[in-house]
Amino acid sequence: MGPRRHRVRKGQRFAVIGGVILLLAGCNTLPDSGPTEAQFNHAQRDQKKNTLGYGIVEVTPELIALLDGEAPPAFSSLDKDNAPTTHTSNDTVGPGDLLQVAIYEVGSALFSPSSTAMAASSASGTSTQPSPSTASSLPLLSVDGSGDVDVPFAGQIHVTGMTTDQVAEAIQGRLKEKSQSPQVLVRIASDIANSVMVYGGVRRPSRVPLTPNRERILDVIALAGGQERLTQPDEDYVVRLTRNNRIAEMPLKAIENDPSQNILMQPGDRVQLTFTPRSFTVFGASGQVTQTQFTLPTLTMAQAISRVGGPIDSRSDPNAVYLFRFENADILHRLGMPIDDSAPTAPVVYKLDMMNPSNYFLAQKFMMRDRDLIYVANSSSNKFYKFFGLISTIIAPGITAAWIAK
């Protein structure tokens, strides 16, 4: 019995060792749902895998302060780089405008319907007392593409760049030799030259005339009815300004918060208001893999992680939570990371260790941006638990059947 029992125990040990080897081999053959922290670090150092050249930056209080101090792209730079070369009072005449011209004359009037009858009466010797003054409104005069306008009895006058008072003086100068003490008043009836186009996510897309009051970008958006989705936060709206073939974009909320970005409008500007709901995406060992909208004016990293259920205890590695972002070049330069000087943005990965309790405070200060991607790394033991679960699924029915047979 002794030798036989020894052989049985030895056989059991070999069976256990074989089972362990089989278990480890089975673990290695199972697919991964995402990289572990070690695999992530290895891939970042491997130039063949890291073709984008991203770096990994730990989330620290210094990083939070750097990101909070980042200045948004400025509309004010367009205002400086494109300093107006003409009048900025928004009352000058230009091609396409319609002018309302009123002429006041004394005595025999050129533009009065009664002037012909008065001339005939004077020729027949009939004494007629002329009216002390006669007011005549001409039909609307259109400024052509060359900036000229044709005025009866005054001829063609180049009016582009003139104010309404200057146009009135030019017409009056032409009529002095043909009419007695003419007085001229000019008004822009349809202002095309001094206007901006406002379109996109506004309630009344239209051409908005500029006035001598000198409207700013928020003014023309309001004159176009404001944003069409009043229930959505202003942070979900982006203002796109086109000026002199240059384009700049800025969140509507940033303009509201920074008066220096609420720049003066210039004739010919084009303002597009776009509704772009902000969202972030979560992958890896989290409660759910999903794309989620902000729905709030601001969103922190802690709020974003909690919305998807947080890291899963059974298969996540909480000390390796990564946030992927295309960061502005200025920030990456200040972080000391290599970046192409001609590139406005470059990829970077921010890492948060959620096993450190103090980092939960940092997660409450780290602000999310549109299209951020959060990845919760898999635990290195995830394969073991996955394989163990697979074996349990296969063996459990047989154990249950054997127990019932007893």
Side-chain angles (χ1 to χ4, degrees), residues 108-147:
S108 179
L110 284 172
F111 300 93
S112 173
S114 61
S115 60
T116 303
M118 291 176 61
S121 175
S122 176
S124 62
T126 305
S127 176
T128 305
Q129 183 68 30
S131 172
S133 66
T134 303
S136 301
S137 292
L138 301 183
L140 293 178
L141 303 179
S142 176
V143 182
D144 63 22
S146 300

Side-chain angles (χ1 to χ4, degrees), residues 116-347:
T116 303
M118 291 176 61
S121 175
S122 176
S124 62
T126 305
S127 176
T128 305
Q129 183 68 30
S131 172
S133 66
T134 303
S136 301
S137 292
L138 301 183
L140 293 178
L141 303 179
S142 176
V143 182
D144 63 22
S146 300
D148 299 329
V149 63
D150 284 319
V151 181
F153 299 105
Q156 190 177 75
I157 302 175
H158 187 73
V159 294
T160 291
M162 291 185 178
T163 65
T164 53
D165 290 341
Q166 290 171 336
V167 174
E169 291 176 2
I171 296 174
Q172 182 176 327
R174 295 282 187 92
L175 295 177
K176 278 185 177 180
E177 297 178 357
K178 303 176 181 180
S179 177
Q180 184 178 352
S181 301
Q183 300 294 318
V184 181
L185 295 178
V186 176
R187 182 179 66 87
I188 301 177
S190 178
D191 199 344
I192 302 298
N194 298 299
S195 63
V196 299
M197 290 296 298
V198 184
Y199 59 102
V202 292
R203 283 185 282 180
R204 295 191 301 273
S206 60
R207 184 187 297 274
V208 177
L210 300 177
T211 69
N213 194 46
R214 307 183 71 189
E215 287 78 10
R216 297 179 179 270
I217 192 165
L218 293 181
D219 299 331
V220 298
I221 292 175
L223 291 171
Q227 57 265 42
E228 59 184 355
R229 300 171 184 258
L230 297 179
T231 59
Q232 299 294 331
D234 290 350
E235 287 80 359
D236 284 341
Y237 279 93
V238 174
V239 179
R240 180 184 179 94
L241 174 61
T242 304
R243 172 178 292 177
N244 295 339
N245 296 323
R246 293 187 58 190
I247 299 174
E249 290 186 350
M250 200 170 195
L252 176 61
K253 192 64 176 180
I255 304 174
E256 294 173 344
N257 291 338
D258 186 359
S260 67
Q261 305 308 321
N262 188 22
I263 62 175
L264 289 169
M265 291 286 90
Q266 295 183 17
D269 284 350
R270 302 178 68 88
V271 179
Q272 180 182 13
L273 188 65
T274 306
F275 177 64
T276 54
R278 297 159 300 151
S279 64
F280 65 94
T281 308
V282 179
F283 288 99
S286 62
Q288 55 180 323
V289 177
T290 182
Q291 182 183 32
T292 306
Q293 291 189 6
F294 280 34
T295 68
L296 294 173
T298 58
L299 190 72
T300 66
M301 189 175 182
Q303 292 172 320
I305 295 174
S306 65
R307 281 193 181 186
V308 296
I312 298 178
D313 293 340
S314 60
R315 61 185 183 91
S316 67
D317 185 3
N319 70 346
V321 177
Y322 300 97
L323 186 139
F324 293 69
R325 174 183 292 174
F326 279 90
E327 190 60 85
N328 292 330
D330 179 62
I331 293 294
L332 298 182
H333 280 304
R334 296 169 69 179
L335 289 173
M337 301 183 65
I339 180 176
D340 186 357
D341 292 336
S342 62
T345 62

Side-chain angles (χ1 to χ4, degrees), residues 363-380:
Q364 291 179 331
K365 294 183 177 181
F366 192 102
M367 305 307 298
M368 298 288 293
R369 293 184 190 165
D370 185 26
R371 300 182 184 180
D372 277 351
L373 187 152
I374 295 176
Y375 173 74
V376 181
N378 281 295
S379 172
S380 57

